[in-house]
């Protein structure tokens, strides 16, 4: 008898609940769904863009809306040559062709590892470096995506208070290819160079991944930066081939890679320039 009463009560409660749910206008009066129009950005480059040591993570985390997927495929120690040779470009090409996205942009930044003195990575500035960039642009367009070229992020080395602009020729080569092929250009080199020069050697030090050694701070106070193990009385420049190794950047102080503060600063510069040079991206970017 009790079981019958319990069953009857359960059925009655369920019927009342169903009736209540059926009358809920939030369920019955749903408007027709509007399909989303999501887009994608793919980051291609070296450690100054990559997930460790670059501006890319801050850009993806802070500067894109939920309607813009941001995929960081930059890798430490890569140049325009070995990024392709090792197969990383195959992965990037697959990301460009992922169906369902309204538009896909591919941001390409190289230069640091294309410089001389890096076996297995270096490229010829006059011919190979620009030819590699041209090939990337052609293949991005062939995949149905939109290329954006970035000039290389400046290093933060100084001599007598003046920023050492060792990447200027590579930056100019990128600008030349962008003009030639009518590609949007984010001139990160020019923007970052101006900011770092304004900061000076000491104020630029917190942009690194770790704190500088006392001897490095002392040298910077005199206007000249020195490497990780300066010789007393004979300041030595950072060995860029050593501090920019293949693979992930190690967490240490240098004048190339970025910690959280540096990543935040330069990701903001990239966002500002990207909004200016690619107007169709503006609604999907957060300043």
């Amino acid at each position: 008898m009790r079981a019958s009463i319990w069953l009857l009560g359960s059925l009655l409660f369920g019927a009342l609940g169903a009736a209540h749910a059926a009358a809920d206008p939030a369920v019955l009066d749903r408007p027709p769904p509007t399909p989303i129009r999501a887009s994608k950005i793919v980051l291609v480059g070296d450690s100054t863009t990559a997930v460790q040591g670059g501006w890319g993570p801050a850009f993806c985390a802070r500067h894109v809306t939920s309607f813009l997927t941001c995929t960081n495929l930059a890798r430490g120690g890569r140049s325009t040559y070995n990024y392709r040779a090792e197969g990383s470009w195959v992965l990037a090409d697959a990301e460009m062709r992922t169906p369902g996205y309204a538009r896909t942009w591919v941001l390409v930044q190289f230069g640091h590892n294309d410089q001389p003195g890096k076996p297995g990575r270096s490229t010829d500035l006059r011919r190979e470096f620009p030819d590699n960039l041209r090939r990337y642009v052609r293949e991005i367009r062939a995949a149905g995506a939109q290329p954006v070229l970035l000039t290389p992020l400046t290093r933060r080395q100084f001599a007598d208070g003046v920023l050492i602009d060792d990447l200027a020729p590579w930056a100019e080569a990128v600008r030349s290819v962008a003009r030639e092929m009518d590609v949007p250009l984010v001139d990160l080199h020019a923007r970052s160079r101006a900011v770092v020069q304004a900061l000076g050697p000491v104020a630029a030090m917190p942009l690194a991944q770790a704190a500088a050694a006392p001897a490095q701070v002392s040298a910077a106070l005199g206007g000249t930066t020195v490497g990780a193990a300066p010789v007393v009385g004979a300041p030595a420049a950072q060995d860029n081939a050593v501090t920019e190794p293949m693979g992930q950047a190690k967490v240490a102080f240098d004048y190339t890679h970025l910690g959280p503060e540096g990543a935040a600063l330069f990701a903001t510069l990239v966002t500002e320039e990207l909004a200016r040079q690619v107007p169709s991206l503006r609604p999907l970017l957060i300043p």
Side-chain angles (χ1 to χ4, degrees), residues 117-230:
K118 298 187 175 184
R121 298 179 275 171
S122 300
T123 62
D124 172 65
L125 174 61
R126 184 177 178 182
R127 294 183 181 274
E128 187 180 10
F129 180 64
D131 281 349
N132 288 346
L133 291 175
R134 293 183 187 102
R135 186 178 176 189
Y136 283 131
V137 168
R138 288 194 299 268
E139 293 182 8
I140 290 167
R141 287 171 170 166
Q146 312 297 316
V148 180
L149 293 178
L150 285 74
T151 54
L153 177 73
T154 188
R155 295 189 177 94
R156 304 178 301 280
Q157 294 169 273
F158 287 79
D160 297 323
V162 178
L163 187 65
I164 300 171
D165 194 6
D166 61 337
L167 283 159
W170 284 264
E172 187 53 40
V174 177
R175 296 184 191 108
S176 179
V177 172
R179 288 191 298 268
E180 171 193 330
M181 303 191 73
D182 194 23
V183 179
L185 176 75
V186 171
D187 200 344
L188 180 58
H189 185 74
R191 288 293 307 272
S192 61
R193 186 177 182 277
V195 168
V196 174
Q197 179 63 70
L199 287 171
V202 177
M205 283 181 159
L207 303 180
Q209 291 183 301
Q216 291 173 313
V217 176
S218 178
L221 286 169
T224 298
T225 54
V226 296

Side-chain angles (χ1 to χ4, degrees), residues 32-193:
T34 301
I36 64 167
R37 286 182 55 80
S39 294
K40 177 192 281 191
I41 277 183
V42 180
L43 304 182
V44 169
D46 56 37
S47 60
T48 60
T49 302
V51 292
Q52 183 179 331
W55 54 264
F59 175 80
C60 291
R62 304 181 185 185
H63 294 286
V64 301
T65 73
S66 60
F67 290 92
L68 184 61
T69 298
C70 189
T71 302
N72 191 347
L73 295 183
R75 304 183 193 284
R78 271 61 181 187
S79 67
T80 56
Y81 161 71
N82 68 338
Y83 188 87
R84 178 187 294 276
E86 71 183 5
S88 286
W89 183 244
V90 172
L91 301 179
D93 185 77
E95 288 290 337
M96 299 174 217
R97 299 175 187 273
T98 303
Y101 290 98
R103 298 187 72 178
T104 297
W105 289 269
V106 183
L107 277 57
V108 179
Q109 183 207 289
F110 287 107
H112 292 77
N113 297 297
D114 288 87
Q115 289 186 302
K118 298 187 175 184
R121 298 179 275 171
S122 300
T123 62
D124 172 65
L125 174 61
R126 184 177 178 182
R127 294 183 181 274
E128 187 180 10
F129 180 64
D131 281 349
N132 288 346
L133 291 175
R134 293 183 187 102
R135 186 178 176 189
Y136 283 131
V137 168
R138 288 194 299 268
E139 293 182 8
I140 290 167
R141 287 171 170 166
Q146 312 297 316
V148 180
L149 293 178
L150 285 74
T151 54
L153 177 73
T154 188
R155 295 189 177 94
R156 304 178 301 280
Q157 294 169 273
F158 287 79
D160 297 323
V162 178
L163 187 65
I164 300 171
D165 194 6
D166 61 337
L167 283 159
W170 284 264
E172 187 53 40
V174 177
R175 296 184 191 108
S176 179
V177 172
R179 288 191 298 268
E180 171 193 330
M181 303 191 73
D182 194 23
V183 179
L185 176 75
V186 171
D187 200 344
L188 180 58
H189 185 74
R191 288 293 307 272
S192 61
R193 186 177 182 277

